[in-house]
Amino acid sequence: MRRARPVLRAHPAGPSHGAHPALRTQAALRTQPALRALHAEWTKLRTLPSSWLLLAATVALTFAVGTAAVSSVSTRECASAAACHEDTVKLALTGLWLGQATVLVLGALSMGAEYGTGTVRTTLTAIPRRATVLVSKAAVMAAATGIAAGTAILASLATARWILPANGFTPEAGYPLLSLTDTPTLRAALGSTLFLILIAFLGLGLAVLLRDSAAAITTGLGILYVAPLMSDLLGSPTWKDRLERWAPIPAGLAIRATKDLARLPIGPWPGLGVLAAYALGVLLVGGAIFARRDA
């Protein structure tokens, strides 16, 4: 008698629950365009040396300028320590003035470089939905910028907490040690992180709109530095107040303030809202044009 052969059952195609995690991840990327787009944008960001250099420069410049500003101010220059009326948190976050430039360049290059090399066509062939491409690029940009900005801001505040008492800014003189348990300080730290993320969005939006890295960076740097310079040069207090209230950078930088808020042209959160309106407005307009024109 012949021995019966065992029947081999074919398993259905596709990953099973016991499949290797890498295979499950690849299957998810194939079936979900949003995840595929996020993975692609993260791959682009982490494989470009310029991205890491710009993120490192953001941390270094923000920290270095903030530390230099804190080190250069002392209560010895005032009649008394209390008479200085220094906003020590705002002073520690002075480095945002330079950190904003590097994140703007990062945002602009993330899209402008694809137009310059022509790889935007490859991107749109792999992921035809342009809104998905742009949202994924903005999400990856926000995560990377947020980590770099948070690192720089926390380091700046921690160093200022150590330096300021030696310069006369002591609790006894009316200057509490900087701490994130203090609500205004926490608001300034979180808001400053959002400030830099919005600047990255501004750079990204300009690159989508102008389709050129150099044009986007030049226009963005003009927005960052020309309006604040004009507000300092204008002789009219009325126009100076208007610029500080409605220009994106002076208004956005109000988020750093923790003292004498009633004297500011615009409050911290409303000021950040003005910057958000500019940055997200440029990004939305650029996205609408991006969805309708040829690559």
Side-chain angles (χ1 to χ4, degrees):
M1 295 179 66
R2 293 183 179 179
R3 184 175 296 176
R5 294 181 180 179
V7 177
L8 298 178
R9 295 181 179 178
H11 291 279
S16 65
H17 291 291
H20 192 276
L23 296 177
R24 292 200 299 269
T25 301
Q26 291 174 7
L29 291 175
R30 286 195 298 269
T31 57
Q32 299 184 39
L35 287 179
R36 188 167 72 248
L38 280 171
H39 184 266
E41 294 304 330
W42 165 241
T43 301
K44 292 175 193 176
L45 182 74
R46 68 180 176 82
T47 54
L48 284 175
S50 60
S51 299
W52 297 106
L53 288 173
L54 288 167
L55 289 170
T58 300
V59 176
L61 290 174
T62 303
F63 172 73
V65 174
T67 301
V70 167
S71 302
S72 65
V73 177
S74 171
T75 57
R76 290 187 293 272
E77 301 167 4
C78 308
S80 65
C84 283
H85 299 292
E86 190 67 56
D87 189 337
T88 51
V89 175
K90 181 178 178 180
L91 187 66
L93 299 177
T94 304
L96 293 183
W97 277 107
L98 274 185
Q100 63 180 350
T102 54
V103 296
L104 175 93
V105 174
L106 178 68
L109 288 179
S110 69
M111 193 68 189
E114 290 199 50
Y115 278 115
T117 59
T119 53
V120 66
R121 298 184 184 88
T122 306
T123 297
L124 295 177
T125 300
I127 306 170
R129 294 192 62 179
R130 300 189 178 199
T132 301
V133 171
L134 192 56
V135 170
S136 299
K137 196 177 288 289
V140 170
M141 187 64 51
T145 304
I147 292 171
T151 301
I153 288 164
L154 289 177
S156 298
L157 291 173
T159 304
R161 177 187 171 95
W162 173 64
I163 293 175
L164 287 168
N167 289 352
F169 296 99
T170 61
E172 293 77 17
Y175 298 96
L177 296 177
L178 301 189
S179 172
L180 293 180
T181 59
D182 177 54
T183 301
T185 304
L186 179 61
R187 184 258 302 151
L190 291 176
S192 296
T193 302
L194 289 174
F195 173 89
L196 290 177
I197 292 173
L198 288 170
I199 295 297
F201 284 171
L202 179 63
L204 173 60
L206 288 171
V208 174
L209 193 62
L210 301 175
R211 297 199 288 185
D212 182 77
S213 296
I217 292 170
T218 303
T219 304
L221 291 177
I223 293 171
L224 296 189
Y225 296 110
V226 171
L229 180 63
M230 288 180 60
S231 68
D232 290 335
L233 295 177
L234 286 174
S236 170
T238 302
W239 278 103
K240 181 177 180 179
D241 181 78
R242 288 174 180 171
L243 272 176
E244 292 180 350
R245 185 185 296 268
W246 300 115
I249 304 309
L253 285 173
I255 196 66
R256 302 174 302 161
T258 60
K259 295 179 66 175
D260 299 325
L261 301 184
R263 298 182 181 180
L264 295 176
I266 190 169
W269 287 119
L272 194 66
V274 170
L275 173 61
Y278 278 96
L280 297 179
V282 170
L283 189 57
L284 287 172
V285 171
I289 296 174
F290 179 57
R292 289 169 171 78
R293 70 185 172 193
D294 295 334

